[in-house]
């Protein structure tokens, strides 16, 4: 039941037919929202103009700002009494937006989470600790109900008190964890400090923020898990939208539930497979709050069909949001690239912060990293050597010059939820 082979591997005409049928239903549902009525009128299109997947290009994009303007309930396509739950986005980029769910939405969402967990190898008999915020953030309750549906023993530990989280993992024999990659790193540091091993862990589901391949390697080694990338967004239900399969080469974005386009964020033009751009998603199964051609702001690309596991459409690991991208003297840099470089330098730890300033009209980037005592002699000359090495590695990978500051281990901030590692102090920065 949780490996719905027929749906997950659907191809060709059968897939297109399913998507088109669901797209038409979604358009009809969206047109119950005044915003979409106006959008269609302004674009001079009628619902009957949307017949094929290609016709989607006729529909104007929906932006986060549109949802903000509809705050709180302006985007509901059903009466509030049919909405059995609301969540909000984390508000990483501004005022949170509200999302609503009917009973049917909650069931479809839990199905998707269960499908993803099953794909990652989670089975009945596993003990699952859900170490994310259980409030308005979709990651908590979203994973919770999916896990219960799958039938695993679910520990709703939420965030905080890392020592207690470690005790629970050890006492309950937890085999699967879900959290942000930055919290997973923190957890592993605390376990190491306390000299407590976590031998029962086998699978780590990590998501809600960008992370790098180097981070995957570090987490797998430190926690003894196989790590899976989990992508989601509140406006598209929450987590469960796209997920890695055991091939660990891109994330399957569920073709029966989401239509994906990759566009050039400047021109809005659709890009081809293999070209990186902003992901635009039209969910196909949402009832309370359908959105059409939603601009996620997330940067990725569509991958070619043909995963060894047999499932359909994949996207590459998300590099970051288009608004996370730093432009330093004209060069584009994502924090996840900095993470990748630093994690490959053993002399520094796994935590970092990035500061961007404008000095004499020039962008200056400063990276703070913690020294790793195991690789540091304590001599001043060694400090200079490490600093030079980090500067060189960053320059080689990113083609920019940075100032590197080495700090004592344990002094940089740790994050329980989404990490905020970049502080842009340029006056024209958003
Ligand atoms: P907010 O947009 O306020 O942070 P959400 O909690 O809905 O609220 O977060 C969704 C966003 O989180 C995505 O748009 C994306 O930028 C980020 N995100 C989620 N999962 C991943 C992932 N696996 N890799 C990279 N970014 C991710
Ligand atoms: Zn696959």
């Amino acid at each position: 039941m949780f490996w719905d082979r027929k749906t997950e591997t659907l191809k060709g005409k059968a897939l297109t037919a399913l998507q088109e049928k669901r797209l038409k239903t979604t358009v009809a549902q969206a047109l119950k929202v005044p915003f979409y009525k106006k959008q269609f009128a302004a674009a001079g299109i009628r619902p009957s103009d949307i017949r094929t997947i290609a016709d989607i290009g006729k529909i104007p994009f929906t932006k986060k700002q549109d949802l903000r303007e509809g705050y709180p309930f302006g985007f509901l396509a059903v009466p509030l009494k049919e909405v059995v739950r609301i969540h909000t986005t984390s508000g990483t980029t501004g005022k949170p937006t509200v999302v609503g769910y009917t009973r049917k939405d909650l069931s479809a969402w839990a199905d998707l989470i269960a499908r993803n967990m099953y794909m990652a190898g989670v089975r009945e008999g596993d003990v699952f600790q859900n170490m994310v915020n259980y409030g308005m953030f979709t990651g908590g309750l979203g994973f919770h109900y999916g896990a219960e549906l799958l039938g695993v023993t679910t520990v709703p530990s939420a965030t905080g008190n890392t020592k207690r989280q470690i005790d629970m993992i050890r006492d309950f024999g937890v085999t699967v964890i879900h959290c942000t990659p930055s919290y997973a790193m923190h957890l592993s540091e605390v376990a190491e400090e306390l000299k407590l091993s976590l031998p029962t862990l086998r699978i780590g589901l990590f998501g809600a923020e960008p992370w790098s391949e180097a981070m995957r390697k570090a987490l797998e080694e430190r926690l003894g898990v196989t790590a899976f990338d989990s992508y989601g967004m509140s406006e598209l239900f929450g987590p469960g939208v796209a997920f890695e399969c055991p091939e660990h080469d891109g994330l399957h974005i569920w073709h029966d539930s989401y239509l994906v386009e990759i566009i050039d964020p400047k021109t809005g033009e659709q890009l081809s497979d293999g070209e990186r751009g902003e992901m635009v998603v039209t969910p196909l199964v949402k009832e309370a709050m359908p959105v059409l051609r939603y601009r996620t702001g997330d940067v990725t690309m569509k991958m070619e069909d043909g995963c060894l596991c047999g499932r359909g459409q994949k996207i590459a690991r998300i590099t970051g949001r288009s608004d996370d991208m730093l432009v330093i003297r004209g060069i584009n840099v994502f924090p996840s690239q900095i993470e990748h470089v630093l994690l490959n330098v053993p002399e520094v730890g796994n935590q970092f912060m990035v500061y961007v300033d404008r000095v004499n009209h020039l962008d200056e980037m400063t990276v703070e990293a913690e020294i790793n005592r195991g690789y540091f002699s304590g001599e001043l000359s060694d400090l200079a050597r490490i600093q030079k090495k980090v500067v060189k590695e960053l320059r080689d990978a990113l083609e920019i010059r940075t100032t590197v500051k080495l700090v004592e281990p344990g002094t940089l901030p740790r994050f329980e939820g989404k990490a905020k590692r970049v502080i842009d102090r340029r006056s024209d920065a958003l």
Side-chain angles (χ1 to χ4, degrees), residues 3-22 115 252-258 284 305-307 309-314:
W3 165 213
D4 179 355
R5 183 187 300 268
K6 186 163 171 271
T7 310
E8 293 178 35
T9 62
L10 209 57
K11 286 191 181 61
K13 278 193 189 136
L15 175 62
T16 313
L18 176 73
Q19 289 177 329
E20 284 177 358
K21 183 170 141 238
R22 292 188 170 175
R115 182 196 282 187
H252 289 284
I253 179 152
W254 299 109
H255 54 206
D256 58 327
S257 306
Y258 301 97
L284 296 174
D305 278 351
C307 186
C309 80
R311 296 177 180 87
Q313 181 73 67
K314 278 200 296 192

Side-chain angles (χ1 to χ4, degrees), residues 64 88-94 137-138 206-211 229-235 251 296 298 317-321 418:
K64 205 171 201 80
T88 59
T89 62
S90 311
T92 313
T93 57
F137 175 58
T138 50
F206 304 128
E209 64 184 7
W211 52 306
D229 191 2
S230 157
Y231 170 82
M233 178 175 215
S234 313
E235 297 90 323
L251 294 82
T296 63
D298 293 326
R317 169 190 282 279
I318 278 116
T319 339
R321 304 180 196 253
K418 291 175 192 258

Side-chain angles (χ1 to χ4, degrees), residues 34 52 66 88 101 109 123 143 151 281 285 352 357 365 418:
T52 67
D66 298 324
T88 59
Y101 305 78
W109 184 21
R123 296 290 182 273
F143 259 90
V281 180
V285 291
F352 67 97
D357 294 286
M365 187 165 90
K418 291 175 192 258

Side-chain angles (χ1 to χ4, degrees), residues 260-313:
V260 194
E261 300 166 75
I262 305 292
I263 62 158
D264 176 332
K266 290 208 180 75
T267 62
E269 259 167 58
Q270 292 195 359
L271 301 176
S272 338
D273 291 5
E275 284 186 295
R276 222 167 248 284
E278 179 179 344
M279 179 164 68
V280 171
V281 180
T282 304
L284 296 174
V285 291
K286 288 188 78 194
E287 191 177 54
M289 209 181 118
V291 285
L292 303 178
R293 297 192 90 201
Y294 190 64
R295 289 190 62 159
T296 63
D298 293 326
V299 179
T300 181
M301 62 182 183
K302 277 195 203 177
M303 294 172 63
E304 266 176 39
D305 278 351
C307 186
L308 288 176
C309 80
R311 296 177 180 87
Q313 181 73 67

Side-chain angles (χ1 to χ4, degrees), residues 25-26 52 110 151 157 201 240 271 288 300 337 380 388:
T25 312
T26 299
T52 67
S157 70
L201 287 186
L271 301 176
T300 181
Q337 294 175 290
L380 224 50
K388 247 170 103 178

Side-chain angles (χ1 to χ4, degrees), residues 64 93 296-299 320-326 334 430:
K64 205 171 201 80
T93 57
T296 63
D298 293 326
V299 179
R321 304 180 196 253
S322 45
D323 47 17
D324 259 3
M325 192 178 76
L326 292 163
F334 281 103
L430 292 172

Side-chain angles (χ1 to χ4, degrees), residues 25-26 29 75-79 82-87 99-113 141-142 145-146 149 234-239 257-258 283-291:
T25 312
T26 299
Q29 186 70 359
F75 273 79
L76 292 182
V78 299
E82 286 173 34
V83 173
V84 293
R85 188 178 326 149
I86 58 171
H87 277 289
V99 286
Y101 305 78
T102 61
R103 206 165 260 124
K104 198 170 149 207
D105 286 331
L106 288 183
S107 153
W109 184 21
D111 279 343
L112 282 174
I113 298 279
L141 290 178
Y145 286 109
L149 181 66
S234 313
E235 297 90 323
L236 312 176
F237 277 157
S257 306
Y258 301 97
L284 296 174
V285 291
K286 288 188 78 194
E287 191 177 54
M289 209 181 118
V291 285

